[in-house]
């Protein structure tokens, strides 16, 4: 079901591989990130479970004969399948009946409980009796990276760096103003073909939808929209930091004295179920020294534009506050590296020890390879970032842990090159998967 307007995604190759090796594939990720478009690009038939004209009849059918909803040319896309979660078991059972691969693609914008804790609900369309392990493969999508949106020229490949390519020479066409705009617009596919001013409204609409409706729908418990906004504003102010829940609570209490630890936990859980909040876990390697490693998560949204919308600012405002611009730039880089590393079966983490030695981002692959990245918006900070990376690499106990595949300072600058000490300097406007 090809669409001539479809912009290729890094996830396309991931989906095709999973369809070749699994009976069904579940694509998760935040609303508006392009899951349905990517799935349609690979599907031969589709059913939209949230079609307002047909939703009631679909739900009735799910209660009686869910297998009828699976009929159609394969791969069949079941969009927003969690509308009737009994479809999970129907897909699993269908996949069990035959050896064919690539039968179904499911998309969903909410994390659905699979451990049985919600199975006491009366509505049979909300029951999940079995895990899909071994039958349903999973993949996560995020908003578009700069390479996918066409703003990065893609002359430097993350994959090639892990393969040992040391020929890093290129020039980015992105200016600081371009980067500021890309942060505020975000990676939302619907914004890519809009007028520049209109495109900035998409993130604001997304933020409003989360506060007014989606946060409550995530776990079917009423959320105060003003409280959702207050929490998201605090997260925005503390983006790319290891700020504690206690700090967030204190921040919110300035306008909401009733905020408690438990309340914050409930609201954050809802935001995570919606894939809005995607914090970065701490990386814990084997070190030569006995330095303690901090294990706190680093606060992040799935897209930096959410932070911008939460604070009600725009490109000019973040350029004027260069310090905060740096935190947002790190969030942009984290988003892009998450997208690029997904095809390498990699994850993004961060490192910070008790001696304040840090690496903003660690790319950790399933095969044990890893790379350390320092994010520096301005060229004046490159030397400092490289020094941190070399010190971290020297502290790794290579008898117990592999040496890094590479060290990289990811910048908002113009030129890509390899320093004499071996550290790569790469503009985010040159990077790709």
């Amino acid at each position: 079901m090809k669409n001539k307007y479809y912009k290729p995604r890094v996830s396309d190759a991931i989906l095709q591989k999973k369809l070749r090796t699994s009976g069904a594939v579940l694509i998760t990720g935040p609303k508006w990130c392009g899951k349905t478009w990517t799935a349609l690009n690979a599907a031969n038939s589709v059913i939209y479970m949230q079609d307002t004209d047909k939703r009631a009849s679909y739900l009735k059918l799910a209660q009686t004969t869910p297998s009828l909803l699976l009929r159609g040319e394969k791969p069949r896309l079941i969009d927003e399948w969690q509308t009737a979660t009994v479809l999970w078991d129907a897909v699993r059972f269908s996949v069990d009946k035959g050896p064919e691969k690539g039968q179904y693609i499911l998309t969903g914008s909410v994390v659905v409980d699979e451990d049985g804790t919600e199975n006491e609900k009366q509505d049979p369309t909300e029951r999940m009796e079995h895990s899909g392990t071994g039958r349903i493969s999973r993949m996560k999508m995020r908003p578009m990276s700069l390479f996918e949106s066409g703003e990065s020229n893609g002359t430097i490949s993350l994959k090639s760096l892990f393969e040992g390519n040391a020929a890093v020479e290129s020039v980015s066409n992105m200016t600081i103003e371009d980067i500021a705009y890309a942060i505020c617009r975000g990676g939302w596919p619907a914004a890519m073909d809009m007028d520049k001013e209109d495109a900035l409204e998409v993130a604001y609409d997304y933020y409003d939808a989360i506060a007014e409706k989606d946060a409550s729908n995530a776990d079917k418990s009423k959320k105060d929209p003003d409280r959702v906004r207050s929490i998201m504003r605090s997260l925005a102010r503390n983006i790319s930091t290891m700020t504690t829940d206690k700090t967030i609570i204190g921040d919110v209490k300035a306008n909401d004295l009733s905020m408690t630890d438990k309340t914050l936990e409930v609201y954050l859980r809802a935001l995570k179920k919606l894939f809005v909040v995607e914090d970065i876990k701490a990386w814990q390697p084997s070190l030569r020294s006995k330095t303690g490693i901090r294990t706190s998560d680093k606060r992040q949204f799935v897209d930096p534009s959410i932070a911008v919308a939460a604070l009600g600012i725009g490109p000019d405002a973040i350029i004027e506050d260069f310090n905060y611009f740096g935190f947002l730039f790190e969030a942009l880089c984290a988003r892009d590296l998450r997208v690029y590393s997904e095809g390498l079966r990699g994850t993004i983490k961060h490192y910070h020890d008790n001696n304040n030695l840090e690496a903003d981002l660690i790319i950790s692959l399933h095969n044990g390879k890893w790379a350390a990245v320092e994010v520096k918006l301005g060229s004046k900070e490159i030397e400092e970032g490289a020094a941190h990376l070399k010190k971290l690499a020297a502290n790794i106990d290579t008898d117990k842990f592999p040496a890094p595949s590479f060290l990289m300072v990811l910048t908002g600058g113009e030129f890509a090159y390899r320093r004499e000490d071996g550290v790569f300097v790469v503009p985010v406007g040159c990077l790709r998967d």
Side-chain angles (χ1 to χ4, degrees):
M1 302 179 71
K2 304 290 184 181
N3 183 333
K4 64 180 181 179
Y5 300 109
Y6 179 71
K7 293 182 183 293
R9 304 292 297 271
V10 172
S11 295
D12 293 334
I14 301 172
L15 176 56
Q16 288 299 329
K17 184 175 183 178
K18 289 184 176 293
L19 287 171
R20 292 193 300 269
T21 57
S22 302
V25 180
L26 168 64
I27 306 177
T28 60
K31 293 175 68 173
W32 304 6
C33 77
K35 299 183 301 298
T36 301
W37 287 7
T38 293
L40 282 171
N41 200 49
N44 288 319
S45 67
V46 60
I47 179 171
Y48 297 101
M49 290 302 298
Q50 293 189 338
D51 183 333
T52 53
D53 290 338
K54 301 178 180 180
R55 187 173 185 271
S57 60
Y58 286 162
L59 291 177
K60 288 182 179 180
L61 198 57
Q63 292 177 6
T64 56
T65 319
S67 61
L68 293 180
L69 298 175
L70 306 186
R71 291 185 180 179
E73 189 175 354
K74 306 297 190 292
R76 180 160 175 78
L77 167 59
I78 306 170
D79 189 48
E80 298 296 346
W81 70 274
Q82 74 280 351
T83 303
T85 55
V86 69
L87 291 174
W88 180 270
D89 289 323
V91 167
R92 182 199 57 81
F93 183 70
S94 177
V95 168
D96 274 349
K97 291 194 297 183
E100 295 85 7
K101 305 299 181 185
Q103 296 184 52
Y104 304 101
I105 305 171
L106 295 80
T107 62
S109 302
V110 181
V111 174
V112 178
D113 173 61
E114 295 176 33
D115 63 9
T117 59
E118 293 186 358
N119 286 354
E120 298 303 317
K121 295 176 180 177
Q122 295 299 313
D123 187 347
T125 64
E126 296 180 353
R127 294 176 185 163
M128 295 173 64
E129 303 296 338
H130 300 280
S131 166
T133 302
R135 289 94 160 183
I136 304 174
S137 182
R138 292 164 171 79
M139 59 179 283
K140 183 180 288 186
M141 285 187 65
R142 298 173 178 87
M144 299 175 84
S145 65
L146 293 177
F147 175 65
E148 292 171 311
S149 64
E151 288 155 300
S152 167
N153 58 37
T155 50
I156 298 174
S157 164
L158 188 64
K159 182 175 184 289
S160 70
L161 292 179
F162 272 108
E163 291 173 346
N165 176 31
V168 175
E169 294 182 1
S170 189
V171 180
S172 169
N173 297 320
M174 293 192 74
T175 65
I176 288 296
E177 290 78 12
D178 293 334
I179 292 171
Y181 175 77
I183 287 171
C184 295
R185 182 208 59 213
W188 312 107
M192 295 305 162
D193 296 322
M194 289 183 178
D195 173 85
K196 289 191 69 171
E197 287 300 317
D198 291 344
L200 293 174
E201 295 298 316
V202 173
Y204 281 89
D205 291 342
Y206 181 86
Y207 168 66
D208 286 339
I210 294 298
E212 294 295 333
K213 182 178 179 182
D214 294 344
S216 294
N217 289 344
D219 55 11
K220 299 184 180 179
S221 65
K222 181 64 177 175
K223 307 288 188 307
D224 181 346
D226 290 336
R227 182 173 283 172
V228 174
R229 288 188 171 91
S230 292
I231 292 171
M232 292 180 72
R233 280 196 297 270
S234 182
L235 292 172
R237 284 190 285 267
N238 293 286
I239 196 167
S240 302
T241 72
M242 292 184 290
T243 298
T244 64
D245 285 357
K246 183 178 180 180
T247 299
I248 301 295
I249 291 171
D251 198 5
V252 174
K253 272 190 172 181
N255 297 301
D256 182 0
L257 293 176
S258 63
M259 173 60 65
T260 64
D261 293 3
K262 185 175 181 180
T263 301
L264 179 64
E265 181 183 352
V266 170
Y267 276 64
L268 286 179
R269 188 186 306 124
L271 293 174
K272 289 176 181 178
K273 289 188 73 169
L274 293 167
F275 305 99
V276 174
V277 168
E278 190 174 24
D279 293 340
I280 300 176
K281 300 292 184 183
W283 183 65
Q284 300 184 57
S286 296
L287 303 176
R288 298 184 190 277
S289 65
K290 294 183 179 180
T291 303
I293 300 174
R294 299 184 185 181
T295 58
S296 301
D297 292 354
K298 184 178 284 190
R299 304 286 184 176
Q300 286 292 6
F301 288 112
V302 74
D303 191 277
S305 65
I306 301 172
V308 172
L311 295 179
I313 56 179
D316 292 341
I318 65 173
I319 289 175
E320 290 175 2
D321 186 349
F322 212 74
N323 184 56
Y324 186 60
F325 192 174
F327 289 112
L328 289 172
F329 179 64
E330 183 178 331
L332 175 77
C333 292
R335 181 202 68 191
D336 281 14
L337 286 177
R338 274 174 159 152
V339 172
Y340 300 149
S341 64
E342 196 79 20
L344 304 178
R345 295 184 64 190
T347 58
I348 301 301
K349 298 181 181 180
H350 78 92
Y351 176 85
H352 198 124
D353 64 29
N354 289 340
N355 293 325
N356 285 325
L357 177 62
E358 64 177 359
D360 293 322
L361 300 168
I362 300 290
I363 309 167
S364 178
L365 305 189
H366 76 291
N367 59 9
K369 290 184 177 182
W370 65 277
V373 180
E374 275 279 83
V375 178
K376 301 298 180 184
L377 180 58
S379 58
K380 293 180 180 179
E381 302 168 297
I382 290 174
E383 192 64 42
E384 177 189 7
H388 286 173
L389 294 173
K390 289 185 292 182
K391 189 173 181 180
L392 171 60
N395 200 28
I396 297 296
D397 186 349
T398 52
D399 291 333
K400 300 178 181 179
F401 203 83
S405 296
F406 60 90
L407 305 173
M408 178 171 67
V409 180
L410 192 56
T411 78
E414 184 178 4
F415 298 105
Y417 56 94
R418 184 177 185 270
R419 290 164 45 104
E420 290 185 1
D421 58 11
V423 176
F424 295 124
V425 177
V426 180
V428 72
C430 291
L431 201 59
R432 64 163 296 168
D433 56 311

